[in-house]
Amino acid sequence: MAVKTADARLEERWRDILAVHARTMCEIDRALHPHGLGASDFEVLDILATESPAPGEQCRVQNLVGRVHLSQSALSRLIGRLEKDGLVERSVCMEDRRGVWVALTPKGRALHEAVLPLQRAVLERMLAEQDAGATTPQP
């Protein structure tokens, strides 16, 4: 059997990371689907709940860019859907009219709190599986 090069091992590790990410996102989607959310929807709600823990606190949309794995236009569409569903509210930044604020509504905060244990359970399970696989000797 050929000895793996450093590049081949690096590529294999990278593909393993991508595979774990893809499987985890699918599992989160499955767990949250009955609640009308997907993994990306949850990520936005979770960041808003963390960044703006008190009701009425706002976060600039620009602060979400780069923290979720979506383009700026896809993020804007996602926020639009969340707003349509009554989970977030958007408003224009008065200091900088180009800026947009987003805040969780009471409905969004309640839904986030309800599904948070589901998302965390999926993360726990998937990352435990990954850790178990990482400690299994490779042939």
Side-chain angles (χ1 to χ4, degrees):
M1 187 160 144
V3 176
K4 288 185 183 176
T5 65
D7 280 350
R9 285 190 305 273
L10 184 62
E11 182 177 334
E12 186 176 298
R13 286 180 59 204
W14 172 242
R15 294 202 189 289
D16 287 346
I17 290 168
L18 292 176
V20 168
H21 179 264
R23 285 192 309 270
T24 303
M25 292 298 277
C26 286
E27 288 296 316
I28 291 170
D29 280 338
R30 260 194 280 294
L32 300 183
H33 179 74
H35 300 276
L37 294 175
S40 295
D41 302 324
F42 177 83
E43 284 303 314
V44 170
L45 296 179
D46 197 44
I47 292 168
L48 290 173
T50 302
E51 295 290 314
S52 309
E57 287 188 337
Q58 300 175 317
C59 179
R60 283 189 69 143
V61 171
Q62 192 61 36
N63 293 346
L64 298 174
V65 175
R67 296 193 58 199
V68 292
H69 300 287
L70 298 172
S71 67
Q72 189 163 357
S73 61
L75 176 61
S76 291
R77 288 190 302 274
L78 185 147
I79 290 171
R81 285 192 312 274
L82 294 176
E83 184 176 39
K84 183 180 171 200
D85 292 342
L87 302 175
V88 301
E89 295 174 326
R90 285 190 280 192
S91 60
V92 174
C93 177
M94 297 311 285
E95 299 83 33
D96 175 5
R97 291 227 174 253
R98 296 171 296 171
V100 176
W101 292 101
V102 65
L104 282 175
T105 63
K107 179 181 176 181
R109 194 170 296 282
L111 182 58
H112 174 263
E113 288 174 12
V115 299
L116 180 64
L118 300 174
Q119 188 263 5
R120 295 303 197 256
V122 170
L123 286 183
E124 244 180 72
R125 180 171 46 84
M126 297 303 291
L127 295 177
E129 287 175 16
Q130 171 61 24
D131 290 344
T135 59
T136 303
Q138 300 298 317

